[in-house]
Each structure stands twice: as C-alpha cells, then as structure tokens.
Amino acid sequence: MRAFKVRVEVHRAENVAGAYTSHRDWENARVVWSGWASVQPDRAFEYRSPERETSQIRQVVFLPPDADVEAVDRLLIRGEMFEVEGEPLPWRTGALSHIYIKAWRVRR
C-alpha cells in the first residue's frame, strides 16, 4: 500500500453534562494539533441490509511523536472527519518515533 503525506487536524470536544447522560460537544470542538502525517488505507467494507446501507472506511495514521491526540479525539483528513479507534500507540524508537492510530468513519 502507498502512504500519503497529508495535512491532519486533531479535534477535541469537551464532555458536556446532559439531562440523563454526558456527551461530547462536537459543535464547539477545538483543534489541539495540526500538521503533516502519513495516512495509509487500511480497509473498507459495506453493510447491506434493508434497514441499513452503510460503508465503513478505515485508515492507519502515523503522527509525529509530539502530536497531542487522545482516544476521544477526531481527525480531519482530506476534508473528512474520522474517529480515533482505541488508544493512540506511541512508538518511541529514536529517529523513527511516531504515534500509531487507527481511524475510521461511517458513510450512509
């Protein structure tokens, strides 16, 4: 697979208390990091049923080791918002240090 160097923004939203539960306020999210990253396609698949026709796209993202990213963040990649899947994994190996992230989005 071919890697692409693209501009990526990390968006973070505050946790807001609602009447019964709390949720992330993505309408007022702020950019906590922006810069170049290596983005590689991971996989894409579709769910086909009468109730739901969706496709899911997954990407592997390699951010610089100093990037501010958490599991609850979203990534803006090429104009599309992706969610971070699981914990970002820092890989500290000298000159090749990076943060490994799996990101995904659903299209309806």
Side-chain angles (χ1 to χ4, degrees):
M1 284 187 214
R2 184 168 178 221
F4 297 98
K5 278 279 201 186
V6 297
R7 207 82 188 135
V8 173
E9 290 182 355
V10 177
H11 291 245
R12 186 167 298 150
E14 296 297 321
N15 210 11
V16 178
Y20 300 102
T21 185
S22 61
H23 65 279
R24 298 269 168 201
D25 181 13
W26 289 109
E27 296 292 321
N28 296 306
R30 68 188 196 289
V31 176
V32 295
W33 184 86
S34 178
W36 294 100
S38 175
V39 178
Q40 301 176 17
D42 185 23
R43 64 186 275 197
F45 48 93
E46 297 181 59
Y47 297 107
R48 291 195 181 260
S49 72
E51 301 87 33
R52 179 168 84 182
E53 284 193 28
T54 61
S55 64
Q56 192 173 113
I57 300 166
R58 293 177 185 258
Q59 309 253 16
V60 175
V61 181
F62 296 95
L63 294 177
D66 62 339
D68 182 11
V69 63
E70 297 177 359
V72 296
D73 293 339
R74 291 184 178 174
L75 307 176
L76 184 65
I77 303 170
R78 287 185 221 99
E80 294 186 343
M81 201 63 80
F82 287 78
E83 295 195 30
V84 174
E85 179 179 14
E87 287 293 325
L89 302 171
W91 190 260
R92 310 236 184 262
T93 59
L96 298 176
S97 294
H98 61 273
I99 300 172
Y100 174 88
I101 295 171
K102 283 215 169 190
W104 66 279
R105 74 175 267 116
V106 173
R107 286 197 180 152
R108 289 174 176 64

